[in-house]
């Protein structure tokens, strides 16, 4: 059965973007040290879900759609462009219905909740996230878009793994108990 995983980078003080949806604070670390780990993670992904802000960020990266062959759902009320070669479904409605669609599409692989924090919080508030993969990068942002702005305290999390990177970034993998 597919697991829904929120795989994300965060500042030490708990932000995934600054107040202007920028991530220069993250980009300064580059991707080289994370690439092998990322490739291993994405090889197990069968479906993606993201919010409109994340989708527009990915579109703005000036390159081919990075998730070729992975069906992607974008939660939005707006009409947005679809890049060549992308398999994108726009969704607005009940998150539980979306969760069922995602898990069905992922088949025997997992669902990656790409971002953002507000969308992930909707899933978490409904008990629909199975794992959190949070890579904390060694920088303080001060304010911005929070990692996971849930409405109330969750059930306990169990640390199931950690990985340290040369820059000092540390990934924590948590499962809900």
């Amino acid at each position: 059965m597919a697991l829904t995983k929120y795989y994300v980078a965060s500042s030490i003080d708990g932000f995934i973007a600054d107040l202007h949806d920028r991530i220069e604070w993250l980009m300064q670390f580059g991707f080289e040290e994370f690439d092998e780990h990322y490739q291993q993670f994405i090889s197990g992904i069968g479906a993606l879900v993201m919010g409109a802000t994340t989708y527009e960020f990915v579109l703005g990266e000036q390159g081919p759609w990075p998730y070729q062959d992975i069906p992607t759902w974008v939660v939005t009320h707006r009409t947005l462009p679809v890049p060549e070669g992308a398999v994108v479904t726009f969704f607005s409605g009940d998150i539980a219905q979306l969760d069922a669609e995602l898990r069905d599409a992922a088949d025997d692989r997992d669902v990656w909740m790409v971002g953002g924090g507000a969308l992930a919080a909707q899933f978490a508030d409904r008990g629909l996230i199975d794992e959190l993969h949070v890579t904390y990068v060694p920088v303080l942002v001060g304010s911005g878009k929070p990692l996971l702005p849930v409405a109330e305290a969750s059930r306990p999390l169990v640390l199931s793994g950690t990985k340290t990177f040369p820059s000092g970034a540390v990934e924590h993998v948590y499962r809900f108990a």
Side-chain angles (χ1 to χ4, degrees):
M1 181 175 142
L3 297 176
T4 297
K5 299 178 176 186
Y6 182 38
Y7 179 89
V8 65
S10 173
S11 65
I12 294 291
D13 54 349
F15 298 100
I16 61 173
D18 69 15
L19 285 172
H20 306 287
D21 290 324
R22 293 187 312 246
I23 59 169
E24 284 83 6
W25 56 269
L26 172 61
M27 302 301 264
Q28 70 183 324
F29 292 91
F31 292 107
E32 294 77 25
E33 70 179 295
F34 306 103
D35 189 57
E36 182 180 337
H37 186 66
Y38 170 78
Q39 294 302 328
Q40 182 180 3
F41 173 81
I42 200 158
S43 70
I45 298 301
L48 303 170
V49 61
M50 63 184 74
T53 300
T54 301
Y55 180 71
E56 289 176 311
F57 175 82
V58 174
L59 289 179
E61 285 298 289
Q62 306 302 324
W65 180 245
Y67 309 116
Q68 299 288 350
D69 305 321
I70 304 176
T72 301
W73 278 255
V74 177
V75 178
T76 184
H77 295 285
R78 298 182 285 143
T79 301
L80 298 167
V82 177
E84 186 175 325
V87 180
V88 176
T89 301
F90 297 105
F91 182 89
S92 64
D94 181 51
I95 294 297
Q97 176 190 340
L98 175 57
D99 179 67
E101 286 181 32
L102 291 164
R103 290 176 191 264
D104 187 52
D107 197 27
D108 63 340
R109 299 169 88 190
D110 295 322
V111 175
W112 175 15
M113 168 134 328
V114 180
L119 177 62
Q122 289 179 52
F123 275 74
D125 285 338
R126 306 269 309 263
L128 301 174
I129 294 180
D130 301 297
E131 289 184 353
L132 303 176
H133 293 243
V134 183
T135 299
Y136 292 98
V137 296
V139 66
L140 301 172
V141 174
S143 62
K145 307 297 182 185
L147 170 65
L148 201 53
V150 295
E152 58 186 49
S154 72
R155 62 190 191 274
L157 302 170
V158 175
L159 182 66
S160 63
T162 62
K163 177 161 179 60
T164 304
F165 296 93
S167 64
V170 178
E171 180 192 54
H172 292 171
V173 179
Y174 293 98
R175 293 191 124 203
F176 284 92

